[in-house]
Amino acid sequence: IHGQEGPGDILLFLTGEEEIDQMKKALDRDSSRMWSTRGELRSIPLYSSLPPAQQQRIFEPAPTSERPGQPEGRKCIIATNIAETSITIDGIVYVVDPGFSKQKAYNPRTRIESLLVSPISKASAKQRAGRAGRTQPGKCYRLYTQGSYETELVEQTFPEILRSNLGSVVLTLLKLGVKNLVKFSFMEAPAVETMMRALEELHYLGAIDGEGQLTPKGELMAEFPLDPQLASMLVDSGKHQCVPEMLIICAMLSVPTPFMRPRDCLKEADLAHAQFSDDLSDHYTLLKVYEEYVQNQYERDWCYENFLNQRSLAAAEKIRAQLQNLYTRLGLEVTCVTHNELRRRTAVRKGLCAGFFLQLCYGGKCKAYNTLPDNTVVALHPCCCIRHNAEFVIYHELVMTTKNYIRTCTEVELEWIKEIAPLYVRDLVQKTPNGEAKRKLMRL
């Protein structure tokens, strides 16, 4: 396009951060040979975890010619589907659409919610094409055939309710007094299996009883604008004397990651982040980051020096204040462990089990882990703070890329899980395949 087409900026859609960074390096390397004859091609990445200042670069004007007679340059914005509908960028004339995006998917049998690279829909393809030529005639290069477009792409992207864990939806409907969930008139009815799995999870969390009715704990959980696992963790935090800590952790898990790792400062960023690291818990690491942010008077400069996203931390502070006000209004007692860091850290790890015991992994050798009871092989995400071979860990999310990674993890004791969720441990023993993990469960 840069070598053959007329003036105008380019918008290229890719699926994720890693692909975008690889493409940027390739474009920067190959386009430099054409500067003298075709002008500069300035590649600019755009994805959600990019620092806000770097995201704003997409609105900068295209590069101009450096000397008389040299052609004007152009921008090439390499973006995820964040650029499909959220923003309009002036000057885009050419769109390149490979036909893929990352979409959230949920498997009710394994209870795994993940992001998968999937073909886009025809509606998304039309939306991407519409990004070109907003201010002048444009072109869209689709990197798939007309036959693929007609036969392989669905008309519309599947509604998110068909691709998500329905725990929050079911809890809300029960709070509203809906009795027959299966016959509820959804605009897009989810699979019955997904609905039943959501009810099973809520039963394990103690939100509903054996008859499918809300328990007193479930009534409280439904008041919080959180996923059921986070709500369960927060409601039970008083028992473990870690209420202030759980308010912060719930808030931090509700915003994008605060850790920024610019490609040109990876070592400096990792060194800055290491000061917050806790070798037993990524959740506790997030807690330490927030507390340091508060101690440093919410300073933007402090965030910049430590490669932290100030926007995420500011959003977490607002969410924490909202949750604290709601917690107090519901008449729940605020209890905490003070003056003993070891006891405090143990209380937090134990309190996390009240929400995440459903996402338990057993660790073997070479840092390989298996989810329980499904026995899916996973690995700790490279950004995880746990560097040793932990026997049992709980995790916040599972990410499927080149391999299965569990992210935001905490090492836990199996006895804590039995104390908090004896019914779940009993069923876990029956469902877990024979092996060392099952033997340890049976010893309980």
Side-chain angles (χ1 to χ4, degrees), residues 17 21 44-59 82 256-266 269 273 300 303-304 306-312:
E17 178 181 345
D21 287 330
I44 303 174
L46 178 64
Y47 44 85
S48 60
S49 61
L50 203 64
Q54 294 188 36
Q55 291 185 14
Q56 292 299 314
R57 290 186 59 216
I58 64 173
F59 300 111
I82 189 176
T257 177
F259 298 112
M260 298 190 300
R261 299 181 74 240
R263 292 285 168 176
D264 53 346
C265 305
L266 288 177
H273 296 162
R300 184 183 298 272
C303 294
Y304 181 80
N306 289 281
F307 297 90
L308 297 172
N309 189 330
Q310 197 266 343
R311 185 180 295 178
S312 289

mmCIF file of all heavy atoms in Angstrom, residues 17 21 44-59 82 256-266 269 273 300 303-304 306-312:
data_model
loop_
_atom_site.group_PDB
_atom_site.id
_atom_site.type_symbol
_atom_site.label_atom_id
_atom_site.label_comp_id
_atom_site.label_asym_id
_atom_site.label_seq_id
_atom_site.Cartn_x
_atom_site.Cartn_y
_atom_site.Cartn_z
ATOM 1 N N GLU A 17 -1.591 -7.753 21.555
ATOM 2 C CA GLU A 17 -0.392 -6.948 21.799
ATOM 3 C C GLU A 17 0.857 -7.560 21.170
ATOM 4 O O GLU A 17 1.656 -6.866 20.545
ATOM 5 C CB GLU A 17 -0.200 -6.793 23.309
ATOM 6 C CG GLU A 17 1.039 -6.030 23.708
ATOM 7 C CD GLU A 17 1.188 -5.918 25.216
ATOM 8 O OE1 GLU A 17 0.207 -6.172 25.945
ATOM 9 O OE2 GLU A 17 2.286 -5.573 25.671
ATOM 10 N N ASP A 21 3.142 -5.736 18.264
ATOM 11 C CA ASP A 21 4.538 -5.340 18.456
ATOM 12 C C ASP A 21 5.458 -5.983 17.414
ATOM 13 O O ASP A 21 6.408 -5.354 16.938
ATOM 14 C CB ASP A 21 4.996 -5.714 19.867
ATOM 15 C CG ASP A 21 4.384 -4.802 20.932
ATOM 16 O OD1 ASP A 21 4.110 -3.636 20.616
ATOM 17 O OD2 ASP A 21 4.196 -5.255 22.071
ATOM 18 N N ILE A 44 2.218 3.044 14.402
ATOM 19 C CA ILE A 44 1.782 3.417 15.747
ATOM 20 C C ILE A 44 0.887 2.306 16.296
ATOM 21 O O ILE A 44 -0.157 2.005 15.715
ATOM 22 C CB ILE A 44 1.000 4.747 15.727
ATOM 23 C CG1 ILE A 44 1.859 5.858 15.108
ATOM 24 C CG2 ILE A 44 0.564 5.132 17.140
ATOM 25 C CD1 ILE A 44 1.107 7.167 14.921
ATOM 26 N N PRO A 45 1.268 1.667 17.411
ATOM 27 C CA PRO A 45 0.433 0.599 17.983
ATOM 28 C C PRO A 45 -0.740 1.165 18.772
ATOM 29 O O PRO A 45 -0.691 2.286 19.278
ATOM 30 C CB PRO A 45 1.413 -0.142 18.909
ATOM 31 C CG PRO A 45 2.394 0.920 19.334
ATOM 32 C CD PRO A 45 2.514 1.867 18.164
ATOM 33 N N LEU A 46 -1.801 0.371 18.890
ATOM 34 C CA LEU A 46 -2.966 0.755 19.688
ATOM 35 C C LEU A 46 -3.621 -0.496 20.265
ATOM 36 O O LEU A 46 -4.156 -1.328 19.536
ATOM 37 C CB LEU A 46 -3.982 1.525 18.833
ATOM 38 C CG LEU A 46 -5.281 1.931 19.553
ATOM 39 C CD1 LEU A 46 -4.989 2.910 20.689
ATOM 40 C CD2 LEU A 46 -6.279 2.537 18.570
ATOM 41 N N TYR A 47 -3.550 -0.638 21.591
ATOM 42 C CA TYR A 47 -4.254 -1.711 22.306
ATOM 43 C C TYR A 47 -4.552 -1.224 23.713
ATOM 44 O O TYR A 47 -3.990 -0.216 24.175
ATOM 45 C CB TYR A 47 -3.452 -3.018 22.321
ATOM 46 C CG TYR A 47 -1.979 -2.877 22.621
ATOM 47 C CD1 TYR A 47 -1.510 -2.828 23.923
ATOM 48 C CD2 TYR A 47 -1.051 -2.796 21.579
ATOM 49 C CE1 TYR A 47 -0.160 -2.705 24.193
ATOM 50 C CE2 TYR A 47 0.304 -2.671 21.838
ATOM 51 C CZ TYR A 47 0.745 -2.631 23.147
ATOM 52 O OH TYR A 47 2.094 -2.508 23.410
ATOM 53 N N SER A 48 -5.428 -1.900 24.408
ATOM 54 C CA SER A 48 -6.002 -1.359 25.643
ATOM 55 C C SER A 48 -4.982 -1.195 26.766
ATOM 56 O O SER A 48 -5.102 -0.274 27.578
ATOM 57 C CB SER A 48 -7.149 -2.258 26.127
ATOM 58 O OG SER A 48 -6.683 -3.569 26.371
ATOM 59 N N SER A 49 -3.957 -2.076 26.844
ATOM 60 C CA SER A 49 -2.994 -1.988 27.946
ATOM 61 C C SER A 49 -1.881 -0.989 27.680
ATOM 62 O O SER A 49 -0.997 -0.815 28.516
ATOM 63 C CB SER A 49 -2.386 -3.373 28.225
ATOM 64 O OG SER A 49 -1.698 -3.856 27.085
ATOM 65 N N LEU A 50 -1.907 -0.329 26.543
ATOM 66 C CA LEU A 50 -0.909 0.684 26.224
ATOM 67 C C LEU A 50 -1.118 1.901 27.126
ATOM 68 O O LEU A 50 -2.258 2.293 27.380
ATOM 69 C CB LEU A 50 -1.040 1.076 24.757
ATOM 70 C CG LEU A 50 0.169 1.685 24.042
ATOM 71 C CD1 LEU A 50 1.308 0.687 23.967
ATOM 72 C CD2 LEU A 50 -0.222 2.130 22.640
ATOM 73 N N PRO A 51 -0.044 2.522 27.630
ATOM 74 C CA PRO A 51 -0.211 3.724 28.457
ATOM 75 C C PRO A 51 -1.004 4.802 27.721
ATOM 76 O O PRO A 51 -0.876 4.949 26.494
ATOM 77 C CB PRO A 51 1.237 4.175 28.708
ATOM 78 C CG PRO A 51 2.054 2.933 28.572
ATOM 79 C CD PRO A 51 1.362 2.105 27.532
ATOM 80 N N PRO A 52 -1.829 5.564 28.434
ATOM 81 C CA PRO A 52 -2.695 6.563 27.790
ATOM 82 C C PRO A 52 -1.933 7.540 26.894
ATOM 83 O O PRO A 52 -2.426 7.907 25.817
ATOM 84 C CB PRO A 52 -3.338 7.278 28.980
ATOM 85 C CG PRO A 52 -3.327 6.268 30.082
ATOM 86 C CD PRO A 52 -2.085 5.466 29.887
ATOM 87 N N ALA A 53 -0.745 7.975 27.332
ATOM 88 C CA ALA A 53 0.019 8.937 26.528
ATOM 89 C C ALA A 53 0.392 8.350 25.173
ATOM 90 O O ALA A 53 0.384 9.052 24.149
ATOM 91 C CB ALA A 53 1.270 9.359 27.288
ATOM 92 N N GLN A 54 0.708 7.041 25.147
ATOM 93 C CA GLN A 54 1.065 6.412 23.881
ATOM 94 C C GLN A 54 -0.172 6.154 23.024
ATOM 95 O O GLN A 54 -0.088 6.169 21.791
ATOM 96 C CB GLN A 54 1.819 5.108 24.145
ATOM 97 C CG GLN A 54 3.179 5.315 24.799
ATOM 98 C CD GLN A 54 3.991 4.042 24.869
ATOM 99 O OE1 GLN A 54 3.958 3.205 23.966
ATOM 100 N NE2 GLN A 54 4.732 3.868 25.963
ATOM 101 N N GLN A 55 -1.317 5.920 23.644
ATOM 102 C CA GLN A 55 -2.554 5.752 22.872
ATOM 103 C C GLN A 55 -2.910 7.031 22.124
ATOM 104 O O GLN A 55 -3.443 6.981 21.012
ATOM 105 C CB GLN A 55 -3.703 5.357 23.802
ATOM 106 C CG GLN A 55 -3.590 3.959 24.382
ATOM 107 C CD GLN A 55 -4.814 3.572 25.191
ATOM 108 O OE1 GLN A 55 -5.849 4.222 25.124
ATOM 109 N NE2 GLN A 55 -4.711 2.501 25.967
ATOM 110 N N GLN A 56 -2.592 8.178 22.722
ATOM 111 C CA GLN A 56 -2.936 9.456 22.095
ATOM 112 C C GLN A 56 -2.121 9.723 20.833
ATOM 113 O O GLN A 56 -2.482 10.604 20.037
ATOM 114 C CB GLN A 56 -2.721 10.588 23.102
ATOM 115 C CG GLN A 56 -3.701 10.582 24.269
ATOM 116 C CD GLN A 56 -5.142 10.749 23.816
ATOM 117 O OE1 GLN A 56 -5.457 11.597 22.993
ATOM 118 N NE2 GLN A 56 -6.027 9.910 24.352
ATOM 119 N N ARG A 57 -1.051 8.979 20.608
ATOM 120 C CA ARG A 57 -0.211 9.206 19.430
ATOM 121 C C ARG A 57 -0.962 8.959 18.125
ATOM 122 O O ARG A 57 -0.565 9.474 17.083
ATOM 123 C CB ARG A 57 1.031 8.307 19.485
ATOM 124 C CG ARG A 57 2.044 8.687 20.558
ATOM 125 C CD ARG A 57 3.287 7.833 20.439
ATOM 126 N NE ARG A 57 3.901 7.982 19.120
ATOM 127 C CZ ARG A 57 4.504 6.998 18.457
ATOM 128 N NH1 ARG A 57 4.553 5.774 18.978
ATOM 129 N NH2 ARG A 57 5.034 7.216 17.268
ATOM 130 N N ILE A 58 -2.041 8.190 18.175
ATOM 131 C CA ILE A 58 -2.776 7.902 16.941
ATOM 132 C C ILE A 58 -3.421 9.161 16.357
ATOM 133 O O ILE A 58 -3.756 9.188 15.173
ATOM 134 C CB ILE A 58 -3.860 6.817 17.166
ATOM 135 C CG1 ILE A 58 -4.940 7.320 18.140
ATOM 136 C CG2 ILE A 58 -3.229 5.511 17.640
ATOM 137 C CD1 ILE A 58 -6.117 6.382 18.279
ATOM 138 N N PHE A 59 -3.581 10.198 17.190
ATOM 139 C CA PHE A 59 -4.210 11.432 16.713
ATOM 140 C C PHE A 59 -3.192 12.460 16.222
ATOM 141 O O PHE A 59 -3.575 13.542 15.790
ATOM 142 C CB PHE A 59 -5.072 12.041 17.825
ATOM 143 C CG PHE A 59 -6.180 11.139 18.289
ATOM 144 C CD1 PHE A 59 -6.157 10.562 19.555
ATOM 145 C CD2 PHE A 59 -7.241 10.840 17.447
ATOM 146 C CE1 PHE A 59 -7.181 9.723 19.981
ATOM 147 C CE2 PHE A 59 -8.275 10.000 17.856
ATOM 148 C CZ PHE A 59 -8.240 9.436 19.125
ATOM 149 N N ILE A 82 -10.319 -2.620 19.225
ATOM 150 C CA ILE A 82 -10.658 -1.396 19.952
ATOM 151 C C ILE A 82 -10.917 -0.248 18.977
ATOM 152 O O ILE A 82 -11.679 0.672 19.243
ATOM 153 C CB ILE A 82 -9.522 -1.030 20.951
ATOM 154 C CG1 ILE A 82 -9.959 0.108 21.871
ATOM 155 C CG2 ILE A 82 -8.252 -0.616 20.205
ATOM 156 C CD1 ILE A 82 -8.937 0.468 22.935
ATOM 157 N N PRO A 256 -8.168 -2.475 34.699
ATOM 158 C CA PRO A 256 -7.033 -3.032 33.938
ATOM 159 C C PRO A 256 -5.774 -3.066 34.793
ATOM 160 O O PRO A 256 -5.622 -2.298 35.744
ATOM 161 C CB PRO A 256 -6.879 -2.043 32.765
ATOM 162 C CG PRO A 256 -8.218 -1.393 32.624
ATOM 163 C CD PRO A 256 -8.786 -1.325 34.017
ATOM 164 N N THR A 257 -4.863 -3.971 34.465
ATOM 165 C CA THR A 257 -3.640 -4.117 35.249
ATOM 166 C C THR A 257 -2.907 -2.790 35.386
ATOM 167 O O THR A 257 -2.795 -2.020 34.418
ATOM 168 C CB THR A 257 -2.698 -5.159 34.608
ATOM 169 O OG1 THR A 257 -1.469 -5.213 35.376
ATOM 170 C CG2 THR A 257 -2.371 -4.803 33.169
ATOM 171 N N PRO A 258 -2.399 -2.481 36.582
ATOM 172 C CA PRO A 258 -1.683 -1.213 36.758
ATOM 173 C C PRO A 258 -0.247 -1.259 36.246
ATOM 174 O O PRO A 258 0.400 -0.224 36.131
ATOM 175 C CB PRO A 258 -1.704 -1.020 38.287
ATOM 176 C CG PRO A 258 -1.725 -2.418 38.829
ATOM 177 C CD PRO A 258 -2.543 -3.221 37.847
ATOM 178 N N PHE A 259 0.249 -2.452 35.944
ATOM 179 C CA PHE A 259 1.652 -2.593 35.559
ATOM 180 C C PHE A 259 1.841 -2.289 34.075
ATOM 181 O O PHE A 259 1.199 -2.900 33.220
ATOM 182 C CB PHE A 259 2.148 -4.007 35.858
ATOM 183 C CG PHE A 259 2.088 -4.368 37.319
ATOM 184 C CD1 PHE A 259 1.207 -5.335 37.775
ATOM 185 C CD2 PHE A 259 2.895 -3.724 38.245
ATOM 186 C CE1 PHE A 259 1.137 -5.661 39.116
ATOM 187 C CE2 PHE A 259 2.834 -4.041 39.596
ATOM 188 C CZ PHE A 259 1.952 -5.005 40.031
ATOM 189 N N MET A 260 2.725 -1.358 33.781
ATOM 190 C CA MET A 260 3.047 -1.002 32.406
ATOM 191 C C MET A 260 4.474 -1.463 32.094
ATOM 192 O O MET A 260 5.381 -1.270 32.903
ATOM 193 C CB MET A 260 2.925 0.511 32.190
ATOM 194 C CG MET A 260 1.536 1.052 32.408
ATOM 195 S SD MET A 260 1.349 2.768 31.861
ATOM 196 C CE MET A 260 2.561 3.599 32.879
ATOM 197 N N ARG A 261 4.650 -2.068 30.906
ATOM 198 C CA ARG A 261 5.973 -2.551 30.489
ATOM 199 C C ARG A 261 6.256 -2.055 29.070
ATOM 200 O O ARG A 261 6.140 -2.824 28.098
ATOM 201 C CB ARG A 261 6.039 -4.072 30.549
ATOM 202 C CG ARG A 261 5.826 -4.661 31.940
ATOM 203 C CD ARG A 261 5.919 -6.178 31.939
ATOM 204 N NE ARG A 261 7.292 -6.629 31.796
ATOM 205 C CZ ARG A 261 7.740 -7.386 30.798
ATOM 206 N NH1 ARG A 261 6.913 -7.732 29.819
ATOM 207 N NH2 ARG A 261 8.997 -7.764 30.744
ATOM 208 N N PRO A 262 6.645 -0.782 28.927
ATOM 209 C CA PRO A 262 6.978 -0.280 27.588
ATOM 210 C C PRO A 262 8.095 -1.104 26.959
ATOM 211 O O PRO A 262 9.054 -1.493 27.641
ATOM 212 C CB PRO A 262 7.444 1.155 27.862
ATOM 213 C CG PRO A 262 6.867 1.506 29.202
ATOM 214 C CD PRO A 262 6.821 0.230 29.968
ATOM 215 N N ARG A 263 7.984 -1.375 25.679
ATOM 216 C CA ARG A 263 8.948 -2.244 25.004
ATOM 217 C C ARG A 263 10.373 -1.710 25.075
ATOM 218 O O ARG A 263 11.323 -2.490 25.077
ATOM 219 C CB ARG A 263 8.538 -2.418 23.538
ATOM 220 C CG ARG A 263 7.261 -3.214 23.354
ATOM 221 C CD ARG A 263 7.472 -4.684 23.584
ATOM 222 N NE ARG A 263 6.221 -5.416 23.674
ATOM 223 C CZ ARG A 263 6.134 -6.730 23.805
ATOM 224 N NH1 ARG A 263 7.220 -7.467 23.876
ATOM 225 N NH2 ARG A 263 4.959 -7.325 23.898
ATOM 226 N N ASP A 264 10.511 -0.393 25.138
ATOM 227 C CA ASP A 264 11.855 0.174 25.162
ATOM 228 C C ASP A 264 12.410 0.334 26.583
ATOM 229 O O ASP A 264 13.542 0.796 26.760
ATOM 230 C CB ASP A 264 11.871 1.536 24.459
ATOM 231 C CG ASP A 264 10.818 2.483 25.023
ATOM 232 O OD1 ASP A 264 9.926 1.997 25.743
ATOM 233 O OD2 ASP A 264 10.897 3.689 24.732
ATOM 234 N N CYS A 265 11.629 -0.070 27.597
ATOM 235 C CA CYS A 265 12.092 0.051 28.993
ATOM 236 C C CYS A 265 11.724 -1.190 29.804
ATOM 237 O O CYS A 265 11.339 -1.079 30.979
ATOM 238 C CB CYS A 265 11.475 1.288 29.657
ATOM 239 S SG CYS A 265 11.728 2.836 28.805
ATOM 240 N N LEU A 266 11.816 -2.360 29.218
ATOM 241 C CA LEU A 266 11.368 -3.577 29.896
ATOM 242 C C LEU A 266 12.131 -3.838 31.192
ATOM 243 O O LEU A 266 11.537 -4.140 32.233
ATOM 244 C CB LEU A 266 11.495 -4.783 28.956
ATOM 245 C CG LEU A 266 10.493 -4.861 27.799
ATOM 246 C CD1 LEU A 266 10.784 -6.074 26.924
ATOM 247 C CD2 LEU A 266 9.066 -4.939 28.330
ATOM 248 N N ALA A 269 11.246 -1.291 33.874
ATOM 249 C CA ALA A 269 9.892 -1.520 34.390
ATOM 250 C C ALA A 269 9.864 -2.722 35.325
ATOM 251 O O ALA A 269 9.266 -2.670 36.413
ATOM 252 C CB ALA A 269 8.917 -1.716 33.234
ATOM 253 N N HIS A 273 8.837 -2.767 39.272
ATOM 254 C CA HIS A 273 7.729 -3.588 39.755
ATOM 255 C C HIS A 273 8.182 -4.588 40.820
ATOM 256 O O HIS A 273 7.371 -5.012 41.652
ATOM 257 C CB HIS A 273 7.098 -4.338 38.586
ATOM 258 C CG HIS A 273 6.460 -3.441 37.567
ATOM 259 N ND1 HIS A 273 6.150 -3.857 36.288
ATOM 260 C CD2 HIS A 273 6.066 -2.134 37.639
ATOM 261 C CE1 HIS A 273 5.616 -2.853 35.623
ATOM 262 N NE2 HIS A 273 5.557 -1.803 36.415
ATOM 263 N N ARG A 300 0.927 11.408 40.383
ATOM 264 C CA ARG A 300 1.092 10.948 39.004
ATOM 265 C C ARG A 300 2.567 10.683 38.691
ATOM 266 O O ARG A 300 2.901 9.719 38.007
ATOM 267 C CB ARG A 300 0.520 11.986 38.042
ATOM 268 C CG ARG A 300 0.558 11.572 36.581
ATOM 269 C CD ARG A 300 0.028 12.688 35.697
ATOM 270 N NE ARG A 300 -1.359 12.992 35.981
ATOM 271 C CZ ARG A 300 -2.382 12.368 35.394
ATOM 272 N NH1 ARG A 300 -2.161 11.413 34.505
ATOM 273 N NH2 ARG A 300 -3.616 12.695 35.687
ATOM 274 N N CYS A 303 3.727 7.330 39.964
ATOM 275 C CA CYS A 303 3.258 6.271 39.069
ATOM 276 C C CYS A 303 4.147 6.183 37.832
ATOM 277 O O CYS A 303 4.532 5.080 37.406
ATOM 278 C CB CYS A 303 1.806 6.522 38.647
ATOM 279 S SG CYS A 303 0.601 6.420 39.986
ATOM 280 N N TYR A 304 4.487 7.345 37.276
ATOM 281 C CA TYR A 304 5.327 7.372 36.068
ATOM 282 C C TYR A 304 6.701 6.776 36.356
ATOM 283 O O TYR A 304 7.220 5.973 35.567
ATOM 284 C CB TYR A 304 5.459 8.812 35.581
ATOM 285 C CG TYR A 304 6.296 8.960 34.329
ATOM 286 C CD1 TYR A 304 5.764 8.688 33.074
ATOM 287 C CD2 TYR A 304 7.626 9.373 34.420
ATOM 288 C CE1 TYR A 304 6.531 8.805 31.926
ATOM 289 C CE2 TYR A 304 8.405 9.497 33.280
ATOM 290 C CZ TYR A 304 7.852 9.219 32.034
ATOM 291 O OH TYR A 304 8.625 9.330 30.905
ATOM 292 N N ASN A 306 7.500 4.582 38.544
ATOM 293 C CA ASN A 306 7.416 3.154 38.854
ATOM 294 C C ASN A 306 6.683 2.354 37.777
ATOM 295 O O ASN A 306 6.317 1.201 38.016
ATOM 296 C CB ASN A 306 6.732 2.954 40.206
ATOM 297 C CG ASN A 306 7.603 3.391 41.371
ATOM 298 O OD1 ASN A 306 8.510 2.673 41.783
ATOM 299 N ND2 ASN A 306 7.344 4.582 41.896
ATOM 300 N N PHE A 307 6.464 2.965 36.613
ATOM 301 C CA PHE A 307 5.826 2.290 35.470
ATOM 302 C C PHE A 307 4.469 1.700 35.854
ATOM 303 O O PHE A 307 4.169 0.536 35.600
ATOM 304 C CB PHE A 307 6.752 1.207 34.908
ATOM 305 C CG PHE A 307 8.038 1.731 34.353
ATOM 306 C CD1 PHE A 307 9.166 1.853 35.155
ATOM 307 C CD2 PHE A 307 8.124 2.130 33.027
ATOM 308 C CE1 PHE A 307 10.356 2.355 34.651
ATOM 309 C CE2 PHE A 307 9.305 2.641 32.511
ATOM 310 C CZ PHE A 307 10.433 2.754 33.322
ATOM 311 N N LEU A 308 3.667 2.535 36.512
ATOM 312 C CA LEU A 308 2.322 2.142 36.916
ATOM 313 C C LEU A 308 1.300 3.025 36.203
ATOM 314 O O LEU A 308 1.545 4.213 35.979
ATOM 315 C CB LEU A 308 2.151 2.275 38.433
ATOM 316 C CG LEU A 308 3.053 1.383 39.294
ATOM 317 C CD1 LEU A 308 2.913 1.749 40.762
ATOM 318 C CD2 LEU A 308 2.732 -0.095 39.078
ATOM 319 N N ASN A 309 0.159 2.442 35.876
ATOM 320 C CA ASN A 309 -0.900 3.155 35.173
ATOM 321 C C ASN A 309 -1.733 3.927 36.190
ATOM 322 O O ASN A 309 -2.535 3.346 36.926
ATOM 323 C CB ASN A 309 -1.765 2.160 34.401
ATOM 324 C CG ASN A 309 -2.752 2.841 33.468
ATOM 325 O OD1 ASN A 309 -3.215 3.947 33.732
ATOM 326 N ND2 ASN A 309 -3.076 2.186 32.375
ATOM 327 N N GLN A 310 -1.545 5.238 36.224
ATOM 328 C CA GLN A 310 -2.242 6.069 37.206
ATOM 329 C C GLN A 310 -3.750 6.050 36.994
ATOM 330 O O GLN A 310 -4.526 6.120 37.940
ATOM 331 C CB GLN A 310 -1.702 7.505 37.137
ATOM 332 C CG GLN A 310 -2.033 8.359 38.354
ATOM 333 C CD GLN A 310 -3.294 9.173 38.178
ATOM 334 O OE1 GLN A 310 -3.770 9.367 37.065
ATOM 335 N NE2 GLN A 310 -3.847 9.657 39.296
ATOM 336 N N ARG A 311 -4.174 5.914 35.735
ATOM 337 C CA ARG A 311 -5.606 5.879 35.450
ATOM 338 C C ARG A 311 -6.255 4.645 36.085
ATOM 339 O O ARG A 311 -7.347 4.733 36.648
ATOM 340 C CB ARG A 311 -5.817 5.878 33.937
ATOM 341 C CG ARG A 311 -7.272 5.964 33.524
ATOM 342 C CD ARG A 311 -7.427 5.953 32.013
ATOM 343 N NE ARG A 311 -6.844 7.148 31.403
ATOM 344 C CZ ARG A 311 -6.821 7.368 30.096
ATOM 345 N NH1 ARG A 311 -7.336 6.462 29.265
ATOM 346 N NH2 ARG A 311 -6.286 8.464 29.611
ATOM 347 N N SER A 312 -5.595 3.487 36.010
ATOM 348 C CA SER A 312 -6.132 2.271 36.630
ATOM 349 C C SER A 312 -6.194 2.406 38.145
ATOM 350 O O SER A 312 -7.175 2.003 38.781
ATOM 351 C CB SER A 312 -5.268 1.058 36.260
ATOM 352 O OG SER A 312 -5.434 0.702 34.907
#
